[in-house]
Amino acid sequence: MNEKSRRFEEFLVKEDIQCFEKREMEDEDHTIVYRTYIQTDFGDVAAFVLLDDTLYATIRFVLGPGVVTKENRQDILTFMNRENSVYKNFKYYIEDQDSTVYLDCINQSLDANFDPGLVYVLTSHIVEYIYSNIETIISVFKVERLPSPEHNHS
C-alpha cells in the first residue's frame, strides 16, 4: 500500500467515513482507487480519489458519462471554459475516447506532507458545487437525467 493511501485510510477510520469502496490497481505506481457516488435529483455521479506513489493525489468526478455529442459539444466547451476560469481548485475536461465530461482536482504533496483531511475537504467542496450547479450542468449536457455512472467507469 502506498503512503498516501495508508494515511487516507487512517483518516477514514478516525472520522468514521464509510462511503468509499477501495480497489488496488496493481500498477507500477501502486495506485489505489477509492470510489463513491454522489446522489443528485438527476442521477448519480461517480467520484474517485486516486492515490499512488507519485506527487499527485487526484479527485475525479465523472459528471457526464457519454454525454458529449456533435450537437452539445460547443455548449459544453463554453460552459467548461467559463467554470474553469472561475474555479481554481478543479477543472473540467472532455475525454474524447468515451465522450465523457470529467471534473478533476489535483493535490500535489510529498508523502510526508500528504493531508487526507485536505483531500476530504476538497472533495466536499466539489460535492457542494455539483449540488448547487446540477440543474445548469444537466441543461448544458442537454439531457433529462445523468447517464449511469457505471457507463464505462466500473
Side-chain angles (χ1 to χ4, degrees):
M1 172 182 299
N2 66 65
E3 180 63 18
K4 287 194 273 303
S5 292
R6 186 188 65 73
R7 288 178 179 218
F8 189 66
E9 287 186 21
E10 286 177 358
F11 172 82
L12 294 176
V13 169
K14 178 182 173 194
E15 299 297 322
D16 195 29
I17 299 168
Q18 301 176 16
C19 61
F20 289 98
E21 173 186 311
K22 174 182 166 182
R23 182 171 163 198
E24 295 188 36
M25 300 308 293
E26 299 180 13
D27 61 4
E28 65 276 1
D29 292 326
H30 305 107
T31 304
I32 298 181
V33 177
Y34 298 87
R35 177 175 63 176
T36 191
Y37 296 94
I38 310 307
Q39 296 177 336
T40 76
D41 292 339
F42 297 96
D44 294 345
V45 175
F48 301 89
V49 176
L50 298 95
L51 303 174
D52 56 29
D53 288 333
T54 68
L55 184 63
Y56 308 102
T58 303
I59 304 164
R60 175 166 295 151
F61 290 80
V62 184
L63 274 174
V67 299
V68 182
T69 65
K70 290 178 188 175
E71 292 76 26
N72 67 7
R73 183 179 181 86
Q74 188 55 53
D75 290 339
I76 291 173
L77 288 171
T78 300
F79 169 77
M80 289 186 334
N81 284 337
R82 183 181 67 241
E83 298 298 284
N84 286 347
S85 72
V86 172
Y87 295 97
K88 303 301 180 200
N89 64 330
F90 59 80
K91 299 297 174 199
Y92 280 94
Y93 67 97
I94 294 172
E95 177 56 58
D96 288 329
Q97 290 180 331
D98 61 4
S99 301
T100 295
V101 176
Y102 294 90
L103 187 152
D104 276 7
C105 175
I106 308 298
N107 179 10
Q108 298 177 18
S109 70
L110 300 172
D111 286 348
N113 299 329
F114 177 70
D115 181 358
L118 176 60
V119 170
Y120 190 76
V121 166
L122 290 169
T123 303
S124 297
H125 284 216
I126 296 170
V127 169
E128 290 173 20
Y129 164 83
I130 291 170
Y131 284 143
S132 297
N133 293 280
I134 192 65
E135 290 183 17
T136 302
I137 292 167
I138 290 296
S139 173
V140 170
F141 290 174
K142 295 181 175 38
V143 297
E144 292 181 23
R145 293 195 54 77
L146 293 170
S148 167
E150 297 301 320
H151 175 84
N152 295 329
H153 299 98
S154 49

